[in-house]
Amino acid sequence: MPDPISTVSQAFHDACLSFLSIVLEGSPFLFLSAVVSGLVAAFVPPSVWAGWMPRTKSGGIGAGILAGFCMPMCECGAVAVVRRMLRQGVPRTVALTYLLASPILNPFCILSTYYAFRAQNPWLMVGSRLLLGLILVVYLVWRLMRWRPEETLQEGLLPKEGEDEAEHHRHEACCEHEHEHAHAHVHEHAHHGHEHHAHGHDHSEHEHHDHDHHEHEHAHHDHDHDHDDCGGAHSPDSPRYLRFLHAVSEDFIGVLTFLVIGAAFAAVLNTSLPRVLLSGFGQHPVFGPIMGVFLAQILCLCSTTDAFVIAAFPTFSFATKLAFLVAGPLFDFKLVWMYQVIFRRRMVFWLWFNITVGTLLLVYLWRPI
């Protein structure tokens, strides 16, 4: 009879290893995404997004798909980038399409899938994963766009109408106020100089000293006021490197919290699975894809590495592996918390239900072999 203490100790050890593997695997991609989002925040003004991004639903979906291929990001990293995109004024259709499409459509995911299945008909698996994933992403975004932004997204995530223009005008007003105050100070100083000559040298010298002292205090007060209104890392006139560092730290720390919570939850589930049942369900035509979907959601693997894991189960059917590869990048248990950075809680569970059911329906209908 196995020792209960050693069994619990081994389970705890396995859970810790699983937790660390998820965090260490996702953190570099998350940091890379925070750097990308910081570059966007510091060097790409909101007017650029507003200028060339399509406003139609179909055009926004197409732009988001293209961005998912050109700006490779895993599901962990895409959350930070999309949050920054929305705050910068990127159309909701483009940002949400990129969030869901990038983990499946990015070149790293395509290459890793091909390499992992290089001995198991790789082009069929790569093509099936891309096609079914793309269909599911388009469906999800199309449904999401039927709701108003405040019904689906977290409060304060979208910029208010005219917010960018107001900030720009506020900055110009601050600078103009400083400029006018400097001119007024010089003009008033010259005016007092003429009065001093008219009333005598001693008297003027005394008033000149008082005036300089008063003007110095007044200028110092206005200078502090201007710094309060116009300074800081958030300000458009602050150095770009400060805005970059502030955005990177804000996005990385903010999303890392959710990654750690999700990784801990996934590690407990991952180490408590009865592995004896895996091989039996993996070949079943109905329960196999169901197991593939839930296995992907429990293991919480990165989309650039998940293909290597599922390819290592030769007894699993093609449909089981495909369901695993389609569902995993779109939703897993760590994303329950990470998606709450962007979506309201009820929308997170709406995504889980539609991704799970949608993946199963597509896999059951596809069945190329």
Side-chain angles (χ1 to χ4, degrees):
M1 183 175 180
D3 184 13
I5 297 179
S6 62
T7 303
V8 172
S9 176
Q10 182 63 40
F12 179 75
H13 179 264
D14 293 342
C16 289
L17 286 179
S18 178
F19 169 77
L20 289 175
S21 67
I22 295 173
V23 173
L24 293 178
E25 186 180 65
S27 295
F29 293 96
L30 177 58
F31 180 74
L32 176 62
S33 72
V35 171
V36 173
S37 67
L39 292 173
V40 169
F43 298 99
V44 182
S47 57
V48 172
W49 297 118
W52 70 273
M53 285 290 184
R55 296 291 174 179
T56 63
K57 188 184 294 187
S58 56
I61 292 175
I65 291 173
L66 181 62
F69 182 82
C70 297
M71 294 174 57
M73 201 66 62
C74 69
E75 61 272 20
C76 298
V79 173
V81 174
V82 168
R83 184 173 70 164
R84 180 65 56 181
M85 282 181 169
L86 290 169
R87 287 178 173 177
Q88 289 287 88
V90 175
R92 192 164 49 114
T93 312
V94 180
L96 297 184
T97 303
Y98 174 78
L99 173 68
L100 298 172
S102 179
I104 288 184
L105 299 180
N106 77 77
F108 298 121
C109 175
I110 295 173
L111 290 174
S112 65
T113 304
Y114 178 86
Y115 189 76
F117 286 89
R118 60 191 181 276
Q120 305 177 46
N121 202 346
W123 286 117
L124 178 62
M125 182 59 75
V126 170
S128 299
R129 185 182 197 184
L130 291 178
L131 178 62
L132 270 59
L134 189 60
I135 293 173
L136 191 53
V137 166
V138 172
Y139 165 76
L140 291 170
V141 176
W142 203 272
R143 288 286 307 276
L144 283 170
M145 294 306 295
R146 298 181 65 180
W147 284 293
R148 294 192 301 272
E150 58 270 19
E151 293 178 319
T152 58
L153 302 180
Q154 289 288 356
E155 231 177 291
L157 193 59
L158 290 173
K160 296 178 181 178
E161 190 174 353
E163 188 179 73
D164 298 327
E165 290 80 5
E167 178 67 22
H168 177 69
H169 289 311
R170 187 191 68 81
H171 171 58
E172 286 187 343
C174 287
C175 297
E176 186 177 351
H177 175 72
E178 279 189 350
H179 186 66
E180 288 178 354
H181 177 73
H183 276 288
H185 177 71
V186 173
H187 178 71
E188 190 172 350
H189 179 72
H191 177 68
H192 276 271
H194 287 295
E195 287 182 354
H196 295 328
H197 284 291
H199 289 85
H201 179 72
D202 294 336
H203 183 64
S204 74
E205 194 173 274
H206 176 71
E207 287 196 1
H208 179 68
H209 175 74
D210 290 344
H211 171 71
D212 282 349
H213 180 71
H214 173 72
E215 288 297 323
H216 176 73
E217 288 183 347
H218 182 64
H220 180 72
H221 172 74
D222 282 354
H223 182 69
D224 290 342
H225 175 73
D226 289 338
H227 270 290
D228 291 339
D229 288 345
C230 302
H234 290 287
S235 175
D237 61 334
S238 62
R240 292 184 185 272
Y241 77 91
L242 285 180
R243 281 183 279 162
F244 168 73
L245 293 176
H246 181 270
V248 170
S249 60
E250 181 184 45
D251 288 341
F252 180 72
I253 296 174
V255 181
L256 180 64
T257 304
F258 292 90
L259 174 62
V260 170
I261 295 173
F265 186 73
V268 173
L269 292 179
N270 184 20
T271 54
S272 61
L273 276 176
R275 301 184 181 274
V276 184
L277 300 177
L278 293 180
S279 57
F281 278 103
Q283 294 181 341
H284 197 278
V286 176
F287 295 111
I290 295 175
M291 189 195 70
V293 168
F294 286 104
L295 189 62
Q297 294 176 352
I298 290 173
L299 293 179
C300 301
L301 300 171
C302 180
S303 63
T304 58
T305 58
D306 58 357
F308 294 97
V309 174
I310 197 65
F313 291 89
T315 59
F316 285 7
S317 67
F318 176 86
T320 302
K321 296 176 183 178
L322 181 58
F324 179 95
L325 293 175
V326 172
L330 294 176
F331 200 99
D332 56 38
F333 282 118
K334 73 175 180 294
L335 291 175
V336 171
W337 285 272
M338 294 184 69
Y339 273 164
Q340 291 182 51
V341 173
I342 296 175
F343 297 104
R344 294 183 180 273
R345 183 173 298 177
R346 66 181 184 86
M347 295 310 302
V348 173
F349 289 100
W350 180 91
L351 282 170
W352 169 79
F353 177 80
N354 280 269
I355 289 170
T356 301
V357 175
T359 299
L360 292 174
L361 289 177
L362 289 172
V363 169
Y364 289 144
L365 293 173
W366 182 237
R367 299 285 182 145
I369 58 174

